[in-house]
Every structure is written in C-alpha cells, then in structure tokens.
Amino acid sequence: MKLKFTKMHGAGNDFVVIDAIHQKIDFTQAQWKQLANRRFGVGADQILVVEKPQSAGVDFRYRIYNADGGEVEQCGNGARAFVRFVTEKHLTDKRAIKVETMSGVIEPRLEIDGDITVDMGAPILDCARVPFDSTGLVGKNQGRDMLWPLDVNGKTIWISAISMGNPHAVQVVDDIDSAPVEMDGPVIERHTRFPKRVNAGFMQIIDRSSIRLRVFERGAGETLACGTGACAAVVAGILRGLLDSPVKVSTKGGDLRIAWQGETSSVEMTGPAVTVFEGEIDL
Ligand SMILES: N[C@H](CCC[C@H](N)C(=O)O)C(=O)O
C-alpha cells in the first residue's frame, strides 16, 4: 500500500508519524521495523501512529513502535511531535489535547511560544510496576531514592529503577562524554532484572538545576534525546537530593525542561517538536 507519513523530531529523537484516522493501517512488526530502518525504509527511532480515541473524554489515541518494531507504552518526545502533527494537519483546533497511550492518558499542550509542554503523569517508583526484579538485592538509600546494584560488564553500577509508563534504569556518571554508553547500554537494556527490558539513562549533574543526559533506549539504541528518560533522570536526581525542580536537561539533540514537585505529582516536560518533511512510501 502507499503510505503517507510525516518525518519529525523532538530534540533530535526522530519519528515517522502516520495519520491512521484517514489511512487504514494494519502492519506487522516486521513492516514497522522496515519502515524505521535507515537503509531499507524511511528511518526513525520510533513510529507514531495517530488514531481516533477508544475512550470517552479523550481526543486521540497514539501508538508508539520502537525501531525494532515492538509496540511500547510511552514516548515523551513523541508526545510533543504528536501535538505538532495534529495541529499542523488541522485534526484538532485545541491547544491542550488529551491523548490515550498504552500506559494511560497524557495531556500535551501547545504553548504560545511554539514549544510544547506535556503532563507526563506521575513517576512509578514501585519496583514491581517498573517492572524491576529486586529479589535478593540489597539496595542503598540516597536521600529519598533507593539505588540498586546491577552487575554490568564485570562491574557493579548503582541505578534508580523508575517508570514513566515505560521502564528506565538511571545512573549518575561523572562525565557523559566518556561514559560507557555503547558498552554498557545494550547490557543494561537486556538485563535479566528488567523482564520487559529497559531504557538505560546516563546522567551527569552540572548543578542543582541542570544535567547532561545520554540514553541507550530500549528497542532503538542511543538516541539524540529521550523525553521519558529526561523525566526519569530528573525524578531520580530530585529524590537523591541532587536536583531542584525545574531542571534543564541537555541532550545531544537539544534541551528539555523538566519540572516535578515530588511524590504523586505529575512530571511536566517542555521542549521542541519539528516537522522535517512529508513523504509517501510503498509498504
Ligand atoms: N525506547 C522507549 C520508547 C521511546 C521513548 C523516548 N523516545 C522518549 O522520548 O520518551 C521504550 O522502549 O520505552
């Protein structure tokens, strides 16, 4: 079939966005993987599929597929691209939109200055719900955070296990430029303690209101930015007593602003979303 798509990015985390309201979409995991392939397809970290809502009181549903073709629960940068897409395609005239995802309803809104803010919901810290298997591990407290030991490539690293609807393992490193993201990222992603695999975050604290962050993403590898990863890193830093909200998160692809007032309050992410080109592909 001829598939119309829009290529977009949020701080360099790039997407193929598809209107599944006006196109009939019924692809296999192999076809999603091909579409995301940077040689045999269009190329993207994730594919975002915009659908009519399934629940009342919600404006849209959006599905997220990683570059490996697997469907996942949440995508922060994708939520901003989603808002830019439905606004530019005149699929809504709202500036604050309720969107259902696999992990619940999020509320992105288009700001006057063109940036997009997303209420990403409250972080999930209960290991069983991340999910993270802490059985038999002896964690250590740092502030209000619990750090867990993981054996990775012959060394022990200490991570925060946090879900933003999708799972994250966040560690603090002295210098992200020299951090072993390529070596350790894939091992953390597939660590047996994370039954649904995990996004591996490497956070360098710059000061109490700014960090640098690299994320080796589940199902996509290292991306230029990870929105949910930025949310999880800031939550970990605030719990550890290292950061104060709001925090500037500098990634390879751009800066995000993350705010969180603690406990059960929502994490709020603000950042850019850009349309790069429109296209059509036989798939
Ligand atoms: N790789 C992630 C999904 C995309 C998240 C990221 N691109 C973001 O902006 O949050 C996962 O498997 O949970």
Side-chain angles (χ1 to χ4, degrees):
M1 75 169 276
K2 277 212 177 299
L3 176 70
K4 292 184 188 309
F5 67 85
T6 301
K7 188 71 175 29
M8 305 184 75
H9 75 85
N13 182 194
D14 69 330
F15 309 109
V16 167
V17 188
I18 295 166
D19 172 353
I21 298 172
H22 300 95
Q23 296 182 103
K24 183 170 175 13
I25 303 294
D26 181 18
F27 291 137
T28 63
Q29 179 164 353
Q31 287 176 301
W32 291 127
K33 190 172 178 179
Q34 181 193 338
L35 185 57
N37 187 291
R38 297 189 187 281
R39 298 290 187 281
F40 297 100
V42 177
D45 294 326
Q46 281 87 31
I47 297 163
L48 311 179
V49 181
V50 177
E51 301 176 337
K52 286 180 181 167
Q54 291 178 346
S55 316
V58 174
D59 301 301
F60 294 93
R61 175 180 183 82
Y62 102 107
R63 293 180 185 276
I64 306 144
Y65 297 88
N66 276 325
D68 68 1
E71 186 172 3
V72 290
E73 312 90 340
Q74 194 54 269
C75 180
N77 290 321
R80 299 195 317 275
F82 166 87
V83 171
R84 179 77 66 217
F85 180 82
V86 296
T87 304
E88 290 182 346
K89 295 290 183 188
H90 307 294
L91 296 177
T92 181
D93 56 7
K94 293 183 178 180
R95 296 182 71 88
I97 301 167
K98 286 187 187 293
V99 193
E100 62 187 353
T101 67
M102 219 166 118
S103 68
V105 176
I106 56 173
E107 295 189 43
R109 65 175 185 273
L110 184 57
E111 303 291 4
I112 300 296
D113 67 1
D115 261 356
I116 293 161
T117 296
V118 190
D119 172 338
M120 293 297 294
I124 295 166
L125 307 175
D126 171 11
C127 287
R129 293 178 58 209
V130 172
F132 171 65
D133 176 10
S134 59
T135 311
L137 290 182
V138 179
K140 66 180 178 185
N141 286 108
Q142 183 180 0
R144 291 174 290 146
D145 198 6
M146 177 61 78
L147 278 58
W148 298 102
L150 282 189
D151 292 334
V152 175
N153 290 330
K155 61 184 179 292
T156 297
I157 63 168
W158 289 88
I159 58 106
S160 304
I162 295 171
S163 170
M164 289 305 302
N166 59 342
H168 291 270
V170 184
Q171 60 181 295
V172 173
V173 296
D174 294 334
D175 170 15
I176 58 167
D177 295 324
S178 59
V181 176
E182 297 81 1
M183 284 287 290
D184 291 0
V187 175
I188 299 167
E189 179 201 7
R190 295 180 176 280
H191 199 286
T192 52
R193 292 278 179 181
F194 289 94
K196 290 190 173 178
R197 297 185 291 153
V198 71
N199 299 283
F202 299 74
M203 158 168 63
Q204 177 184 346
I205 307 284
I206 303 302
D207 57 37
R208 292 192 64 83
S209 59
S210 62
I211 64 171
R212 294 178 67 209
L213 180 69
R214 291 173 68 183
V215 180
F216 188 95
E217 286 198 28
R218 176 180 63 172
E222 183 175 4
T223 57
L224 296 184
C226 178
T228 51
C231 295
V234 168
V235 167
I238 290 173
L239 289 173
R240 295 186 191 202
L242 303 174
L243 297 174
D244 301 313
S245 179
V247 176
K248 182 176 91 168
V249 179
S250 297
T251 73
K252 285 183 177 178
D255 292 346
L256 301 175
R257 178 186 184 275
I258 309 294
W260 182 53
Q261 303 315 320
E263 309 316 328
T264 57
S265 63
S266 283
V267 182
E268 198 165 80
M269 168 188 61
T270 302
V274 176
T275 297
V276 182
F277 65 88
E278 307 282 347
E280 197 171 273
I281 184 171
D282 275 320
L283 199 64

